[in-house]
């Protein structure tokens, strides 16, 4: 198959490949085929199999199965569920492996044309921004510009220094009363979209922006106005724009960045290519210098949780780090939005040992999940970020340590697994509404020295 040949011979130089093919025209055409990466699911039918991992060790073991050719994608949630997307023809073998080797019960989530199901919610490249659909990065950036033009006294649009591997900007907004003179105020940082496939995260962050400026949630104006007087919000809705755009154009469940990361299992040929498979991207939420490379990661560059060859070897994570370091001493809150699992994650992510300010974190967590529940009854759970399994190198842990701020948290948004990363766009507004409530409760409960 196309995938098999791509895994076996990609990386050979053109000259050598033509010699091996005997200069046949059909081999030249085949070579052209090889130069493109395997992109999305084709028109074959797939099954989605779900298991519940018992502990961190088993999560790591299940993730290691991603190297098998019979498995097309693996999705792990903070709740401990692990989903396998497999071709129907290979599903029985995967089921037997999960039962016999791991002793796991398997939940069958359905089958059919996964490509059609996943790509059915992709946004139009030229769409007008709304909260009834998920949007491409260009549409998001255009809307940020429009908001800044609409509210010049309270919104300032800017780009982080540098560009991503594929040449994109990472755009953000400052929001504050008299924004042009707000750089001495205490600062609250919010970001989303570090994992490419988590579309609800940038959408929810955009809704928070609209709520802060008054385009939505006008009944909260009396609560928001004093916050704009006191603080400067800095909000970056999508800090992995390369990966995010790739989920719209090529592979919906892509998680990582898009910079080439090496060869599978380090197998390089003498020409500098890969005998087996070219690997792409790094898990950007394993790429931060906080206990980097130790827990919840893989040394395989093709892995979903490959942390990179060194901390901040990805242009997007380095750009966000540099921006945050400019605010050291002024930043009072770091919040990052992910999906899914409906969790409010407390420090720390790489160890279950509680930090000295854990009592404060616990109180904040209770207040936040209560506020989120009040509007629609959505149940979030506060827990230490390490949770079921520790993971080194995440952004909130880096902010906690490097910026010396107690209040560094991660939201895992809707849902708890029914739709997972493919949350229907009909839920964007509700996610945004309940999370502006949660954010306001969080700000109300900041550590005393952060207020």
């Amino acid at each position: 198959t196309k995938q098999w040949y791509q895994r076996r011979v990609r990386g050979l130089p053109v000259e050598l490949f033509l010699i091996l093919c005997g200069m046949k025209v059909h081999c030249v055409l085949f070579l052209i085929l090889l130069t493109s990466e395997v992109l999305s699911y084709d028109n074959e039918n797939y099954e989605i199999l779900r298991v519940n991992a018992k502990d961190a060790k088993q999560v790591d073991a299940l993730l290691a199965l991603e190297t098998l050719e019979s498995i097309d994608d693996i999705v792990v949630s903070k709740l401990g569920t692990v989903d396998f997307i497999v071709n129907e023809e290979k599903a029985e073998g995967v089921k037997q492996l999960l039962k016999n080797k791991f002793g796991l019960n398997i939940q069958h989530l359905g089958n059919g044309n996964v490509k059609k199901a996943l790509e059915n919610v992709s946004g139009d490249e030229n769409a007008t921004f709304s909260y009834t659909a998920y949007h491409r990065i260009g549409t998001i950036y255009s809307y940020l510009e429009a908001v800044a033009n609409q509210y010049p006294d309270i919104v300032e649009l800017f780009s982080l220094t540098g560009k991503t591997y594929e040449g994109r900007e990472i755009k953000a907004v400052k929001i504050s009363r008299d924004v042009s003179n707000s750089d001495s105020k205490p600062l609250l940082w919010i970001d989303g979209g570090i994992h490419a496939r988590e579309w609800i995260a940038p959408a929810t962050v955009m809704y928070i922006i609209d709520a802060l400026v008054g385009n939505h949630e006008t009944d909260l104006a009396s609560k928001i106005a004093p916050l704009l007087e006191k603080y400067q919000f800095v909000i970056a809705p999508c800090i992995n724009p390369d990966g995010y755009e790739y989920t719209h154009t090529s592979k919906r469940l892509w998680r990582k960045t898009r910079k080439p990361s090496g060869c599978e299992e380090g197998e390089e040929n003498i020409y500098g290519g890969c005998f087996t498979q070219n690997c792409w991207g790094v898990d950007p939420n394993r790429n931060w210098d906080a206990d980097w490379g130790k827990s919840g990661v893989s040394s395989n560059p093709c892995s979903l949780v490959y942390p990179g060859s060194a901390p901040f070897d990805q242009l997007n994570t380095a750009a966000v780090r540099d921006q945050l370091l400019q605010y050291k001493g002024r930043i009072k809150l770091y919040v990052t939005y992910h999906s899914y699992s409906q969790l409010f994650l407390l420090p720390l992510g790489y160890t279950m040992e509680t930090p000295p300010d854990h009592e404060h974190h616990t109180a904040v967590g209770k207040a936040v999940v209560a506020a989120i529940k009040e509007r629609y009854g959505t149940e979030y759970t506060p827990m230490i970020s390490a949770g079921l399994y520790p993971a080194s190198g995440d952004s909130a842990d880096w902010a906690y340590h490097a910026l010396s701020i107690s209040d560094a948290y991660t939201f895992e948004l809707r849902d708890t697994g029914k739709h997972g990363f493919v949350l229907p766009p009909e839920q964007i507004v509700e996610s945004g509404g309940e999370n502006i409530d949660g954010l306001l409760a969080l700000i109300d409960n900041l550590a005393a020295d952060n207020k």
Side-chain angles (χ1 to χ4, degrees), residues 182-243:
S182 65
D183 285 346
S184 62
K185 294 181 181 180
L187 186 145
L188 310 179
W189 173 279
I190 299 169
D191 68 50
I194 193 169
H195 284 145
R197 61 194 178 188
E198 300 170 6
W199 287 4
I200 188 60
T204 297
V205 174
M206 292 295 288
Y207 190 93
I208 289 170
I209 290 171
D210 262 335
L212 292 176
V213 302
N215 281 339
H216 290 287
E217 307 292 336
T218 54
D219 56 325
L220 296 176
S222 62
K223 293 183 179 180
I224 291 173
L227 298 180
L228 299 186
E229 291 286 350
K230 183 175 184 178
Y231 297 107
Q232 181 188 76
F233 290 81
V234 179
I235 307 179
C238 187
I239 61 173
N240 179 14
D242 290 353

Side-chain angles (χ1 to χ4, degrees), residues 310-332:
F312 302 114
D313 67 348
Q314 302 300 290
L315 293 175
N316 62 317
T317 57
V320 178
R321 173 204 61 192
D322 292 346
Q323 192 70 37
L324 287 166
L325 286 173
Q326 294 180 32
Y327 304 140
K328 188 172 183 179
R330 189 159 74 91
I331 185 169
K332 306 302 179 182

Side-chain angles (χ1 to χ4, degrees), residues 386-449:
L388 175 70
Y389 60 96
S392 298
D394 78 34
S395 64
D397 286 354
W398 179 87
Y400 179 86
H401 289 302
L403 302 177
S404 301
I405 55 174
S406 176
D407 293 297
Y409 305 103
T410 300
F411 283 84
E412 294 279 357
L413 300 172
R414 294 185 177 198
D415 56 10
T416 57
K418 180 179 179 180
H419 300 287
F421 297 119
V422 195
L423 191 73
E426 290 78 14
Q427 295 194 37
I428 294 174
V429 170
E430 289 192 359
S431 176
E434 66 197 12
N435 276 284
I436 189 65
D437 293 340
L439 178 64
L440 295 179
L442 171 52
I443 296 170
D444 283 345
N445 286 275
L446 290 176
D449 57 350

Side-chain angles (χ1 to χ4, degrees), residues 41-352:
Y41 303 102
D42 55 24
N43 291 321
E44 300 175 42
N45 286 337
Y46 285 76
E47 290 193 27
I48 303 176
L49 310 175
R50 172 170 294 174
V51 297
N52 289 290
K54 299 173 182 177
D55 52 33
K57 185 177 181 180
Q58 190 166 78
V59 169
D60 289 340
L62 292 169
L63 269 174
L65 299 179
E66 64 185 337
T67 59
L68 299 179
E69 292 187 16
S70 56
I71 294 173
D72 287 79
D73 260 311
I74 298 179
V75 175
V76 180
S77 81
K78 276 285 187 179
L79 297 174
T81 61
V82 183
D83 295 348
F84 296 86
I85 300 178
V86 298
N87 187 287
E88 279 187 334
E89 296 179 356
K90 302 172 182 177
E92 190 58 36
V94 175
K95 291 177 186 177
Q96 292 304 315
L97 174 65
L98 296 173
K99 289 178 181 178
N100 297 337
K101 183 174 181 178
F102 296 95
L104 294 170
N105 294 321
I106 299 170
Q107 182 182 0
H108 184 263
L109 297 187
N111 56 10
N113 192 323
V114 173
K115 172 184 171 69
K116 182 178 180 180
L118 295 180
E119 296 184 353
N120 190 43
V121 295
S122 183
D124 184 342
E125 187 173 10
N126 299 310
T128 300
F129 187 86
S130 72
Y131 293 106
T132 60
Y134 295 106
H135 295 290
R136 303 280 290 275
I137 196 66
T139 301
I140 291 173
Y141 285 173
S142 294
Y143 188 70
L144 289 178
E145 184 176 359
V147 170
N149 290 335
Q150 184 180 4
Y151 300 102
D153 293 337
I154 61 172
V155 182
E156 180 180 310
L157 177 66
F158 71 100
S159 295
L160 277 60
T161 301
K163 294 187 178 181
T164 66
Y165 174 75
E166 293 183 343
R168 293 185 176 87
E169 294 180 296
I170 300 175
K171 294 193 176 185
V173 289
K174 297 177 182 179
I175 302 177
S176 186
R177 188 66 57 199
D178 190 17
V179 67
S180 61
N181 295 305
S182 65
D183 285 346
S184 62
K185 294 181 181 180
L187 186 145
L188 310 179
W189 173 279
I190 299 169
D191 68 50
I194 193 169
H195 284 145
R197 61 194 178 188
E198 300 170 6
W199 287 4
I200 188 60
T204 297
V205 174
M206 292 295 288
Y207 190 93
I208 289 170
I209 290 171
D210 262 335
L212 292 176
V213 302
N215 281 339
H216 290 287
E217 307 292 336
T218 54
D219 56 325
L220 296 176
S222 62
K223 293 183 179 180
I224 291 173
L227 298 180
L228 299 186
E229 291 286 350
K230 183 175 184 178
Y231 297 107
Q232 181 188 76
F233 290 81
V234 179
I235 307 179
C238 187
I239 61 173
N240 179 14
D242 290 353
Y244 179 77
E245 189 67 7
Y246 187 72
T247 63
H248 282 271
T249 62
S250 301
K251 191 171 185 179
R252 174 63 182 86
L253 292 180
W254 187 257
R255 169 183 171 93
K256 302 191 289 180
T257 60
R258 291 298 303 154
K259 181 181 178 181
S261 53
C263 302
E264 186 175 28
E265 300 172 353
E267 295 183 5
E268 294 186 0
N269 61 45
I270 61 174
Y271 298 94
C274 303
F275 275 123
T276 54
Q277 182 178 1
N278 287 324
C279 303
W280 298 80
V282 160
D283 182 340
N285 207 41
R286 301 289 189 275
N287 193 234
W288 297 69
D289 195 8
D291 198 57
W292 178 84
K294 296 179 181 178
S295 302
V297 297
S298 171
S299 59
N300 180 358
C302 285
S303 171
L304 292 170
V305 290
Y306 178 60
S309 59
F312 302 114
D313 67 348
Q314 302 300 290
L315 293 175
N316 62 317
T317 57
V320 178
R321 173 204 61 192
D322 292 346
Q323 192 70 37
L324 287 166
L325 286 173
Q326 294 180 32
Y327 304 140
K328 188 172 183 179
R330 189 159 74 91
I331 185 169
K332 306 302 179 182
L333 173 66
Y334 175 87
V335 172
T336 182
Y337 285 89
H338 290 240
S339 74
Y340 60 92
S341 289
Q342 291 176 200
L343 300 173
F344 181 69
L345 300 179
L346 319 175
L348 294 162
Y350 60 85
T351 177
M352 286 298 291

